[in-house]
Amino acid sequence: MKNYDLKQEQTLVIVKPDGVQRDLVGEVIKRYEQCGLKLVGLKMVIPTKDMALKHYSIDPEWAIKSGTKTFESYKAKGLPLPGKDPVEFAEGIRRKLPDFMSSGPVVSMVWQGMGAVSIVRKITGSTEPLTSLPGTIRGDYTIDSYTAADTDSRAVRNIIHSSGSVDEANKEIAIWFDKKEILSYRLVSEEIIYDVNLDGILE
Ligand code: TYD
């Protein structure tokens, strides 16, 4: 990670169709904006199913990680497991995600700043809204659960997608944005967030 500038880290955020329909685009932008991150790319699109599938096929470990997460959540609640094999179960979810993501407009964004990937994940909250903490976007603005989604055989509606790692972010940004759509500019607020000296505040 030599020469890696944490301050320039970028991450992808997508306000999913449920977030757009719930009129939460402004609120979501406000949350990331107010923490000090910089918006460097923004667009509204209706994703194709292919785009959504490509997006959810980036991480070869995704099915094992997501399936395990769901199974652990069922166990923690003392509920019978939703299937025999977590990977097989997650592959079923992956087949449902393109229908959800392509059901209407989404707003995709690139946010940049110090540790943007982790900062955005923290503000977004954990995957299942039922257990996402208050104060996070998923915890504050929605109430879906794995069990409700699984009973209805659909993907969890949790308002936001945000990249899980820097590597994932770079690959995801390349799916949703052309290089020329990502802007390079300086915000006045970056001086107070990052600059070593604070000369110029006092007159
Ligand atoms: P995942 O990448 O595990 O979560 P996150 O979005 O928090 O990084 O899963 C991708 C999406 O798949 C998730 O946002 C909602 C949906 N999903 C389900 O519908 N059911 C599930 O059991 C899981 C784990 C995810």
Side-chain angles (χ1 to χ4, degrees):
M1 284 293 232
K2 217 174 161 200
N3 296 327
Y4 181 72
D5 186 355
L6 201 60
K7 301 197 282 277
Q8 303 289 324
E9 192 168 290
Q10 294 183 338
T11 191
L12 181 81
V13 169
I14 301 174
V15 184
K16 296 181 187 177
D18 57 330
V20 173
Q21 294 303 316
R22 298 268 320 276
D23 307 313
L24 290 170
V25 175
E27 181 61 33
V28 166
I29 291 180
K30 187 183 93 177
R31 295 242 172 162
Y32 302 129
E33 198 174 35
Q34 285 189 337
C35 81
L37 292 174
K38 176 165 68 176
L39 185 60
V40 294
L42 174 73
K43 64 165 115 167
M44 187 174 226
V45 289
I46 302 173
T48 61
K49 288 188 184 180
D50 278 356
M51 232 170 134
L53 196 58
K54 201 168 163 195
H55 170 88
Y56 283 111
S57 304
I58 284 177
D59 177 5
E61 305 283 304
W62 181 84
I64 179 74
K65 283 194 249 172
S66 285
T68 306
K69 184 161 62 179
T70 317
F71 274 42
E72 289 305 321
S73 159
Y74 270 79
K75 275 187 214 157
K77 291 173 194 144
L79 295 168
L81 294 179
K84 284 199 185 102
D85 174 36
V87 173
E88 203 179 295
F89 179 79
E91 289 302 347
I93 294 168
R94 189 169 5 220
R95 285 191 289 276
K96 290 170 200 149
L97 283 164
D99 281 341
F100 174 42
M101 288 297 269
S102 62
S103 64
V106 305
V107 175
S108 39
M109 310 173 221
V110 180
W111 286 91
Q112 180 176 312
M114 182 84 81
V117 170
S118 336
I119 296 282
V120 162
R121 294 284 283 193
K122 179 186 68 171
I123 292 171
T124 302
S126 58
T127 308
E128 186 191 28
L130 180 71
T131 53
S132 315
L133 293 176
T136 65
I137 295 170
R138 288 166 169 171
D140 284 353
Y141 295 112
T142 195
I143 51 177
D144 206 5
S145 66
Y146 291 143
T147 35
D150 294 339
T151 304
D152 297 345
S153 193
R154 60 170 174 80
V156 167
R157 294 178 188 150
N158 59 7
I159 301 176
I160 303 285
H161 164 78
S162 70
S163 309
S165 67
V166 173
D167 180 52
E168 220 173 272
N170 293 335
K171 291 177 181 156
E172 289 178 354
I173 291 169
I175 294 178
W176 295 86
F177 286 86
D178 284 339
K179 273 211 169 82
K180 61 178 184 329
E181 293 172 321
I182 316 273
L183 309 183
S184 181
Y185 67 99
R186 188 164 166 83
L187 284 176
V188 171
S189 60
E190 286 176 81
E191 284 175 35
I192 196 81
I193 297 173
Y194 301 120
D195 280 7
V196 176
N197 297 312
L198 291 177
D199 332 333
I201 291 181
L202 298 176
E203 295 191 319

